[in-house]
Amino acid sequence: MAGLFSSDAKVLVIGANHRSSSLALRDRLFLDEPEVIPFLDKLKDDGVEQCLVVSTCDRVEVHCVDHNPARAHELIVARLAERAELDSHTIASQLYVHEGEEAVRHIFRVAASLDSLMVGEPQVVAQVKDAHRLAVEAGSVGAELERIFQAAYGTAKRVRTETAVGERPVSIASVGVQIAKELHGDLSRCRGLLIGAGDMGELTAQNLIEAGLSDFTCIHSFAGRAQRIARHLSCHFDDFDNRNRLACEADIIVTSMNKRTRVVSADMVAKALQVRKNKPIFLIDTGIPGDVDPAVNDVDGAFLYDLHDLERVAMEGRASREAEARAASAILDKDLHDFFRGKEERTAVPLVSSLRDRFETERQAVLALHANDADKATRLLINRLLHTPSEELRALAAVKKKKEWEAASDLVERLFLKKD
C-alpha cells in the first residue's frame, strides 16, 4: 500500500508496557489524569501534529500521526525521558516503536484488550476512551487519529459481543466475590484492601464493591496510582508504608502489583491474624507473577487464591480460551483489512469529485443551449465529455509506446466498457 493517508502522514506508537519495561520505569512514566493534557500540550508545542497518550498500570504509550515520523519519534522519546527524569538513551531499550500499519494494528489490539496482561480485561477500552477524551480536550486529535480510534472501538465491540474472550477476567472476578461471600457472609460488614493497581485487581475490587463491600482502601508504592484507582472506585487510598496496619484491618486483600518480588509475606499475614484474633483473611492474588508468598497457604486462618485457583472454578479449560482468542484475532484482522482498504479508497475521492464537477458543468452548459431538445442535448454532451479523452488516446497511440497504450486501453475498458 502507498500509505495510510493521502497526506502521507504516518502513524506512530511509542511506549512501555508490561512486556517491554520494568515496573519501576512505568511508575516513572505514569501520568495521572490531570497531568495528561499538559503533557500533550508540550508535545504540540514541540511540533508533534496529532498525539494521544494512554497511561495505565500496564502501559504508558503515545499514539501520534505526523508527516515526519523520525522527528516525532525523537521528540516523544525526549518528553518520555523528561517525564521519567532519565536520559533518552537509558529508556530507549525499554520502549517499543510501531509505525504505519503495525502502529494501527497495535492500537486496535490495545482497544480490543488483546494486548493486555490478561486478555479480555473489560475496563481497557474505557481506559483508551478516557485517553481519547483527554486528547480531544487538548485539541491534539486530528481527523486521521480520530478515524483510527473510531474504527478500533468498532472492532473492540465486535470482539466483546461476538466472542467470549472477555468472559475469562469477568468470571474470575465473580468467583472471587463468590468465595468471599462464602467465607465472610455479608460483605457490607467487611473491609477490603487493594495492594497495587493492575487491571485485574481493579476489576476484582470493583466486583467486590458492587457486591456490597463499601469499606475499601487502595495502596500502591506509587501514590498517584492509588489515588487514581480510589477515584475510579469511589473508595479510600492510603500510604503504601501503612500496609502492615491495613492488612490487620482487612477481611479481604486483593493484590495486583505484578512485580517480580512478593509484596505480601507469610510473616505479614501471620502477624495480621494474630492482631485480628484469628479472624480469617481472604487473599486474592491477581499479580502476574504472583504478589503473595505461597507459604501463606500454610498459615492457619489465611485463605489464598491466585488467578489459577480462581480460573479452575471459572473456566472449562485452556483450549476454549485459545479458541476465543483466535476468533478475536480473526475479527481484528478482517477489520484492519477493511480499514486499510478504506484509507486507500479515500485517496480517490478528490479526483472523483473533480470529475463529477466537470461533468456537471458540461451538463449545465448543454442544457443552456438545448434544454428543450433531448436528442441534441445528449449528443452534444457526449461529444464534449469524450473530446479530450479521445484526443489523448489518439496521441498516445501515435507515439507507439506499447506499455502506456496497453495500460490506458485496459483502464478505459475497465472504467467504461466492462459489462455488468
Side-chain angles (χ1 to χ4, degrees):
M1 296 184 184
L4 287 175
F5 309 110
S6 58
S7 60
D8 291 328
K10 297 288 189 276
V11 190
L12 191 66
V13 172
I14 301 174
N17 66 11
H18 54 278
R19 285 188 294 270
S20 75
S21 66
S22 66
L23 181 62
L25 177 62
R26 297 200 303 280
D27 281 347
R28 284 173 171 267
L29 292 174
F30 179 78
L31 292 157
D32 202 3
E33 185 167 314
E35 300 174 299
V36 170
I37 290 180
F39 182 83
L40 293 172
D41 286 341
K42 287 181 180 179
L43 287 176
K44 287 194 300 176
D45 292 342
D46 290 339
V48 177
E49 295 172 12
Q50 300 178 45
C51 52
L52 177 155
V53 60
V54 176
S55 179
T56 73
C57 63
D58 291 332
R59 72 181 67 248
V60 178
E61 57 189 33
V62 178
H63 304 171
C64 89
V65 173
D66 201 283
H67 286 79
N68 188 340
R71 179 173 175 273
H73 177 202
E74 184 178 341
L75 292 170
I76 290 167
V77 172
R79 285 299 180 186
L80 290 172
E82 178 186 63
R83 173 66 186 175
E85 298 182 337
L86 298 167
D87 62 76
S88 298
H89 295 295
T90 299
I91 71 167
S93 63
Q94 295 191 58
L95 298 177
Y96 47 83
V97 181
H98 301 297
E99 186 175 328
E101 292 187 9
E102 280 306 309
V104 177
R105 173 179 289 275
H106 179 82
I107 293 170
F108 272 54
R109 285 182 58 80
V110 170
S113 190
L114 297 179
D115 192 65
S116 302
L117 190 61
M118 174 168 282
V119 171
E121 287 166 330
Q123 64 271 47
V124 172
V125 70
Q127 294 168 342
V128 174
K129 286 183 176 180
D130 284 343
H132 185 187
R133 171 182 54 81
L134 291 171
V136 170
E137 289 178 14
S140 63
V141 175
E144 292 89 350
L145 207 52
E146 182 68 25
R147 278 198 295 269
I148 292 170
F149 276 87
Q150 291 304 328
Y153 298 148
T155 298
K157 184 177 181 180
R158 286 192 62 201
V159 168
R160 289 196 308 274
T161 57
E162 297 178 27
T163 76
V165 74
E167 292 180 4
R168 179 191 178 203
V170 173
S171 298
I172 288 173
S174 299
V175 168
V177 172
Q178 174 190 326
I179 296 171
K181 287 181 176 179
E182 291 173 357
L183 183 63
H184 290 300
D186 185 0
L187 295 184
S188 66
R189 298 197 300 266
C190 296
R191 287 185 174 184
L193 174 65
L194 172 61
I195 304 175
D199 289 342
M200 193 62 213
E202 183 179 345
L203 176 63
T204 303
Q206 182 178 331
N207 275 252
L208 287 165
I209 291 169
E210 290 173 353
L213 202 164
S214 57
D215 191 344
F216 210 98
T217 300
C218 303
I219 62 172
H220 194 282
S221 54
F222 184 66
R225 294 196 174 188
Q227 293 170 18
R228 179 186 68 80
I229 297 290
R231 280 198 306 271
H232 182 252
L233 297 179
S234 299
C235 64
H236 311 293
F237 67 90
D238 208 320
D239 194 288
F240 189 72
D241 291 337
N242 294 331
R243 61 189 180 277
N244 288 334
R245 172 180 61 79
L246 293 167
C248 296
E249 300 170 355
D251 302 290
I252 301 168
I253 298 175
V254 181
T255 67
S256 194
M257 288 295 290
N258 301 316
K259 298 181 74 172
R260 289 174 176 80
T261 56
R262 308 290 184 179
V263 294
V264 176
S265 67
D267 184 57
M268 172 182 171
V269 174
K271 288 179 179 178
L273 284 164
Q274 197 172 26
V275 173
R276 292 166 57 83
K277 297 181 179 178
N278 292 320
K279 183 181 178 182
I281 300 176
F282 177 37
L283 297 102
I284 304 174
D285 184 355
T286 70
I288 303 174
D291 298 320
V292 181
D293 185 344
V296 168
N297 282 304
D298 299 325
V299 178
D300 289 339
F303 297 85
L304 171 61
Y305 279 71
D306 63 16
L307 288 176
H308 298 294
D309 297 324
L310 296 172
E311 190 173 28
R312 278 196 292 270
V313 181
M315 302 295 289
E316 292 180 358
R318 184 175 176 82
S320 63
R321 294 200 310 271
E322 292 180 344
E324 293 302 329
R326 286 195 296 271
S329 294
I331 289 172
L332 187 138
D333 288 342
K334 181 183 184 305
D335 284 2
L336 276 171
H337 177 270
D338 293 345
F339 177 79
F340 292 137
R341 182 180 177 89
K343 294 295 181 193
E344 295 297 340
E345 288 176 349
R346 269 192 285 276
T347 62
V349 169
L351 181 60
V352 172
S353 180
S354 297
L355 192 62
R356 187 179 295 276
D357 291 344
R358 169 66 189 281
F359 281 21
E360 178 61 20
T361 299
E362 295 294 346
R363 188 181 77 87
Q364 293 291 346
V366 167
L367 287 176
L369 293 173
H370 302 291
N372 298 320
D373 190 332
D375 184 63
K376 284 186 177 181
T378 52
R379 287 178 182 275
L380 179 59
L381 180 61
I382 289 172
N383 287 335
R384 287 192 174 191
L385 294 178
L386 287 178
H387 175 72
T388 299
S390 298
E391 290 294 314
E392 291 294 326
L393 286 171
R394 279 194 287 267
L396 190 60
V399 297
K400 298 181 180 179
K401 291 186 177 180
K402 185 177 180 181
K403 287 185 178 180
E404 287 85 343
W405 165 253
E406 287 179 349
S409 176
D410 179 64
L411 180 61
V412 169
E413 286 186 11
R414 285 191 290 115
L415 290 176
F416 301 109
L417 302 178
K418 186 177 179 180
K419 294 181 180 180
D420 294 334

